[in-house]
Amino acid sequence: MHKEDCFFLGKIVKKYSFKGEVLVKLDTDEPELYEHMESVFVNLRNNLVPFFIESSQLHKSELLRIKFEDVDTEEDADALLKSELYLPLEFLPELDDDKFYFHEIIGFKVEDKNFGHVGIIKAVNDSTAQSLFEIDRDGIEILIPMNDRFIVKVDKPNQIIIVETPVGLIDLYLND
């Protein structure tokens, strides 16, 4: 399994018991969807290694307490601390038509109601306070905030996102 075929589920943040249990901080708005998994992939030295789950339960809302098979001691659990957990993309819950996962809009066209064709989404930058569409327009990078007020329509079947940005925003990138 390759990382690009998976999504980040969470990170092992601490040990829970002397029996090898760990606590995972989940990266989701719906932690209950992941309470009864059979297995996950653990990123160990840049390799995704499958781990089978003996038991798991939610712990203080966004933490998931997991007992992995064959992880039976504190030392075993120590070896997993700070490891990231992944699941295959097909395990992502289906979203409403106007919602999307960042990975699924790469390659979508962006059309602005006022400007016209903007370009193709090459990435999503979520390392800033507000996530940004990174759009390629013939070699020029255009950044548009992923703001609900700007997004008019998400047309998944035709792979187009229609936006209405403030007048002049796109021109800032094109006028040198």
Side-chain angles (χ1 to χ4, degrees), residues 29-91:
D29 295 332
E30 300 177 279
E32 62 280 354
L33 293 176
Y34 303 100
E35 189 171 8
H36 303 291
M37 299 178 294
E38 293 179 15
S39 63
V40 294
F41 288 97
V42 178
N43 189 6
L44 297 175
R45 294 177 293 288
N46 273 341
N47 290 310
L48 293 185
V49 179
F51 274 72
F52 291 94
I53 297 173
E54 214 171 272
S55 65
S56 64
Q57 68 183 59
L58 285 176
H59 180 81
K60 296 182 182 171
S61 74
E62 87 269 358
L63 293 175
L64 184 65
R65 186 171 117 199
I66 296 180
K67 170 66 177 89
F68 290 114
E69 286 182 10
D70 301 323
V71 177
D72 300 315
T73 66
E74 284 188 73
E75 292 76 26
D76 293 342
D78 273 335
L80 299 176
L81 279 180
K82 295 189 173 38
S83 294
E84 297 175 339
L85 303 187
Y86 291 86
L87 283 175
L89 288 173
E90 60 263 20
F91 285 75

Side-chain angles (χ1 to χ4, degrees), residues 57-172:
Q57 68 183 59
L58 285 176
H59 180 81
K60 296 182 182 171
S61 74
E62 87 269 358
L63 293 175
L64 184 65
R65 186 171 117 199
I66 296 180
K67 170 66 177 89
F68 290 114
E69 286 182 10
D70 301 323
V71 177
D72 300 315
T73 66
E74 284 188 73
E75 292 76 26
D76 293 342
D78 273 335
L80 299 176
L81 279 180
K82 295 189 173 38
S83 294
E84 297 175 339
L85 303 187
Y86 291 86
L87 283 175
L89 288 173
E90 60 263 20
F91 285 75
L92 280 171
E94 196 67 35
L95 293 177
D96 295 336
D97 286 341
D98 59 339
K99 304 272 189 247
F100 52 84
Y101 293 110
F102 292 170
H103 72 272
E104 69 182 331
I105 60 165
I106 304 303
F108 276 36
K109 293 180 193 142
V110 176
E111 303 282 338
D112 184 271
K113 285 184 89 169
N114 302 313
F115 181 86
H117 177 73
V118 179
I120 306 290
I121 297 174
K122 63 177 183 174
V124 172
N125 181 339
D126 63 350
S127 64
T128 58
Q130 176 156 25
S131 296
L132 302 166
F133 291 120
E134 291 184 6
I135 301 165
D136 177 47
R137 179 182 175 87
D138 303 323
I140 298 169
E141 182 180 69
I142 296 174
L143 302 175
I144 295 179
M146 292 175 63
N147 184 314
D148 287 343
R149 291 185 313 229
F150 295 169
I151 300 172
V152 176
K153 182 178 181 196
V154 178
D155 181 351
K156 288 182 184 177
N158 294 309
Q159 298 193 339
I160 298 172
I161 295 179
I162 299 169
V163 296
E164 187 170 7
T165 60
V167 175
L169 175 70
I170 296 166
D171 291 322
L172 289 173

